[in-house]
Amino acid sequence: MAKLRWGMIGGGEGSQIGPAHRLGALADGLFDFAAGALDHRPDVGRDYAQRLGIAADRAYGDWRDMLAGEKGRDDQIDLVTIATPNSTHFEIAKAFLEAGFNVLCEKPMTMTVEEGQEIVRVAESSGKICAVNYCYSAYPMVRQARAMVRAGDIGKVRLVVTNFSHGHHGDATDADNPRVRWRYDPAMAGVSGQFADCGIHALHMASFICDDEVKSLSADMASTISSRELEDDAMINFRMEGGTVGRLWTSSVAIGRQHGFDIQVFGETGGLRWASEQPNQLIYTPVGGRTQIIEKGEAGLHADTQRLSRVAIAHPEGFPLAVANIYCDLADAIRGEHRDGLPGAADGLRSIAAVHAAVASGREDGAWKDARPPMFR
């Protein structure tokens, strides 16, 4: 089967997320890295792209040059990844979708609910894929957890508790570091800092595993470092369409926590726990029974779990391979095979609607708000 052609915007030398995308896209031999506009500095981006093996005529100075150049080619890219600052996502994604390209966008997909709804409409009208990189949902044991919930292994879900809390932005003396500062700058990040950066991964995970959507929420948002305009800590209570109660904590000032992303799902007949720092294990406790550790790679796991596992039991598969699983699902989807675990534009829209609802709630001392985008109410 011929490889698909892949291009990237942003994610240049020194970026946090760029290497994960490059490792992920190329891990399974499904894509060739064919084109890129990798830096906001044209010459720097062109040079880095060529050092990564991209031909000189496809090492572009900016995304507009890349769009114009790829549209005119017989061997144009099949997929473009957008890994640029939040404020640029909407314009780039909309332009590439309208031009007939499939898109994988970093989260948050857009800055506003109105932009998110427009992306959903453009993706539908163009017939192209707009995926969003909620890559934690592509860990094999997360797929196993979802399958177990769907199969009724823990009964009706009563409660989900999740958090994504780390301490890597807890040093006030480092608050002006450009790699940190932009995340709390409304001009670059939008209306929310930590919740839009990390918290929406946890919220998406709750919806993904519970196979349900967030309906309403109440939020307490705090900026614990005084120079920050946007929050670096948030507590979100939420309710899902099916009645499940949700609790979410997200923080970037929890010094001592490293990655700090985990989720617990409690049903009528059992409970599940998964943590990103031990991603190969799913903890399962049936009511009245012993707690069990389900290992990636063992016999009898769900087909989706097995499909997205590459190495034998007891060998770890980490973050880049979770990103690779998103690209596996994308390759299948581009070739016409439906993958219901692939996060799409609707997921991106629901996330940004929840962000705006949380901000509004926080400003009103935790008043409950409808978390759904208008087009899904």
Side-chain angles (χ1 to χ4, degrees), residues 137-151 153 208-209 272 274 279-284 294-306 308-309:
S137 66
Y139 274 100
M141 298 314 290
V142 171
R143 297 291 177 95
Q144 179 67 22
R146 187 192 202 199
M148 291 176 69
V149 169
R150 284 180 163 181
D153 290 351
F208 185 84
I209 292 179
L272 296 168
W274 179 86
N280 295 320
Q281 297 180 336
L282 179 65
I283 311 302
Y284 168 53
I294 304 173
E295 295 277 358
K296 180 196 68 65
E298 70 181 42
L301 299 181
H302 188 268
D304 211 31
T305 307
Q306 297 180 51
L308 296 175
S309 300

Side-chain angles (χ1 to χ4, degrees), residues 130-327:
C130 181
V132 183
N133 191 35
Y134 289 116
C135 54
Y136 298 99
S137 66
Y139 274 100
M141 298 314 290
V142 171
R143 297 291 177 95
Q144 179 67 22
R146 187 192 202 199
M148 291 176 69
V149 169
R150 284 180 163 181
D153 290 351
I154 63 169
K156 178 177 172 56
V157 177
R158 293 168 170 164
L159 173 67
V160 57
V161 180
T162 184
N163 78 85
F164 196 158
S165 303
H166 64 83
H168 300 296
H169 299 166
D171 183 356
T173 65
D174 193 45
D176 284 334
N177 179 336
R179 292 191 183 183
V180 174
R181 188 180 63 233
W182 77 266
R183 299 175 188 274
Y184 307 96
D185 178 359
M188 296 287 286
V191 297
S192 170
Q194 176 64 12
F195 184 48
D197 187 22
C198 294
I200 58 174
H201 272 300
L203 196 69
H204 174 264
M205 183 75 83
S207 291
F208 185 84
I209 292 179
C210 295
D211 208 19
D212 201 356
E213 302 296 346
V214 175
K215 182 178 181 180
S216 60
L217 60 76
S218 167
D220 180 15
M221 318 277 269
S223 298
T224 67
I225 293 179
S226 59
S227 62
R228 291 175 176 161
E229 292 186 60
L230 300 175
E231 87 287 345
D232 53 24
D233 187 275
M235 182 68 75
I236 314 292
N237 292 312
F238 60 92
R239 299 292 187 271
M240 306 188 87
E241 297 276 5
T244 298
V245 174
R247 316 289 188 201
L248 185 157
W249 174 47
T250 186
S251 182
S252 62
V253 294
I255 294 171
R257 292 181 67 94
Q258 296 303 317
H259 195 252
F261 184 15
D262 59 56
I263 185 167
Q264 298 177 86
V265 183
F266 303 103
E268 293 176 340
T269 61
L272 296 168
R273 181 183 183 273
W274 179 86
S276 67
E277 293 179 27
Q278 295 85 34
N280 295 320
Q281 297 180 336
L282 179 65
I283 311 302
Y284 168 53
T285 306
V287 65
R290 294 178 177 176
T291 295
Q292 305 169 29
I293 299 174
I294 304 173
E295 295 277 358
K296 180 196 68 65
E298 70 181 42
L301 299 181
H302 188 268
D304 211 31
T305 307
Q306 297 180 51
R307 177 177 65 88
L308 296 175
S309 300
R310 292 168 183 77
V311 295
I313 190 169
H315 292 80
E317 293 184 46
F319 180 76
L321 291 182
V323 177
N325 288 341
I326 293 289
Y327 282 95

Side-chain angles (χ1 to χ4, degrees), residues 70-84:
E70 291 300 307
K71 279 198 301 186
R73 301 184 67 102
D74 292 333
D75 61 347
Q76 65 181 217
I77 54 174
D78 298 291
L79 173 70
V80 61
T81 293
I82 301 168
T84 54

